[in-house]
Amino acid sequence: MEGLKKSDANLVVYIHPSKAKKVSEAILRELSSLLFKFHETFDGVLLAYDVKILSQVAKILPGIHPYFGVRLKAELLTFYPKPNMLLEGTVVKLGQQSMHAIVLGFSSAIIIQEDIRDEFKYKVKHGKEVFVSRGNKRHQIEVGTIIRFIVKSFDEEVLHICGSLVPDHTGSVGWLDKNLEEWSHADSLTKKRTGSEGSREMLEHNKAMVDGETLYLNTDHHIKKSKRRRSGDS
């Protein structure tokens, strides 16, 4: 699934002096408080982390409460769905005018009627709501179905996704995967006609550095970039 990114980052976590005897525990607590929230510095929603303390020597900050900074090297897994990315989610609710799904177990997604292609017709079968393809009755979407859809927009504050089932390569993942060969052949023919190059990817899992910057985390849960890096100095 697209939208996932694995990154390497250098961090400095500021710890209250009262936590000096339990530094590792304080660091994990601080990082855990950032999970499943969007952070502009990380360029996405933090899903997981793996940290390694680089130095046992802490930098003490002057002030009424002299916090001390601990340098870490961390591997971060983030999620940032952007327009036209392909995502997958589990349908949790259907209505005549919309579909509702959950992505990665925490982000909600909605696909409204105008973003559901005409191929799908809403029906109630045996007391269950379902969208059935007019072209192939085996292609059905109901509660519990894993769907593949296109991202239209993403609300970073509430982690809400607006999606679309208009493209032909969207719909029930189970049905699409069984007919992957047919879709690949049709896609190849389309590319030959249009003269386009490249191939459509179903999964993207990138590994990238976070601009080589050191990120600073304070216990008030604000993340700041190094002032030296922001000013353009190396």
Side-chain angles (χ1 to χ4, degrees):
M1 183 174 68
E2 297 179 338
L4 293 171
K5 183 173 67 174
K6 186 177 180 181
S7 305
D8 294 327
N10 295 319
L11 305 176
V12 173
V13 178
Y14 290 119
I15 305 298
H16 190 276
S18 63
K19 309 293 183 181
K21 292 183 179 181
K22 297 181 179 180
V23 173
S24 297
E25 181 180 321
I27 290 173
L28 294 178
R29 183 181 294 110
E30 180 66 19
L31 292 176
S32 295
S33 70
L34 303 176
L35 290 172
F36 303 108
K37 298 175 184 177
F38 181 86
H39 303 284
E40 185 177 352
T41 304
F42 293 153
D43 192 31
V45 179
L46 183 62
L47 300 183
Y49 59 84
D50 184 23
V51 299
K52 179 181 180 181
I53 299 178
L54 296 179
S55 174
Q56 299 296 326
V57 179
K59 180 180 179 181
I60 300 176
L61 300 179
I64 299 177
H65 298 289
Y67 283 70
F68 60 94
V70 181
R71 290 188 174 276
L72 312 171
K73 187 174 182 62
E75 290 185 357
L76 310 175
L77 178 63
T78 56
F79 175 63
Y80 194 4
K82 298 179 181 180
N84 299 319
M85 282 186 174
L86 274 174
L87 297 186
E88 295 179 4
T90 303
V91 175
V92 294
K93 182 181 179 181
L94 287 179
Q96 190 168 0
Q97 298 182 335
S98 64
M99 295 185 191
H100 299 261
I102 294 294
V103 178
L104 295 175
F106 75 93
S107 183
S108 62
I110 184 172
I111 303 171
I112 59 177
Q113 186 178 32
E114 65 184 51
D115 294 317
I116 301 174
R117 63 181 180 273
D118 294 337
E119 172 190 347
F120 289 106
K121 182 179 180 181
Y122 174 83
K123 293 183 178 181
V124 178
K125 298 175 62 176
H126 309 294
K128 293 184 178 180
E129 296 174 299
V130 61
F131 278 88
V132 182
S133 169
R134 300 173 190 268
N136 192 316
K137 293 183 178 180
R138 294 184 179 180
H139 191 180
Q140 300 184 11
I141 297 175
E142 59 186 31
V143 172
T145 298
I146 299 176
I147 59 173
R148 184 174 294 138
F149 63 93
I150 291 289
V151 176
K152 290 188 66 180
S153 64
F154 176 59
D155 189 319
E156 300 168 354
E157 291 188 5
V158 296
L159 309 183
H160 186 270
I161 303 167
C162 289
S164 170
L165 286 176
V166 173
D168 290 336
H169 59 283
T170 60
S172 167
V173 170
W175 189 89
L176 291 170
D177 287 350
K178 287 181 181 179
N179 293 271
L180 181 61
E181 184 176 346
E182 177 183 342
W183 285 111
S184 297
H185 179 65
D187 187 48
S188 177
L189 292 177
T190 300
K191 288 179 180 179
K192 287 180 180 179
R193 287 195 296 266
T194 59
S196 62
E197 297 180 352
S199 61
R200 173 171 56 85
E201 296 182 358
M202 290 296 184
L203 178 66
E204 180 179 334
H205 190 67
N206 298 326
K207 185 172 183 179
M209 293 295 294
V210 186
D211 301 329
E213 296 186 72
T214 298
L215 311 179
Y216 293 86
L217 282 65
N218 207 336
T219 50
D220 59 2
H221 301 160
H222 290 293
I223 305 175
K224 299 181 180 179
K225 293 185 179 180
S226 168
K227 293 182 179 179
R228 186 174 60 183
R229 295 293 299 179
R230 280 191 290 182
S231 64
D233 296 335
S234 58

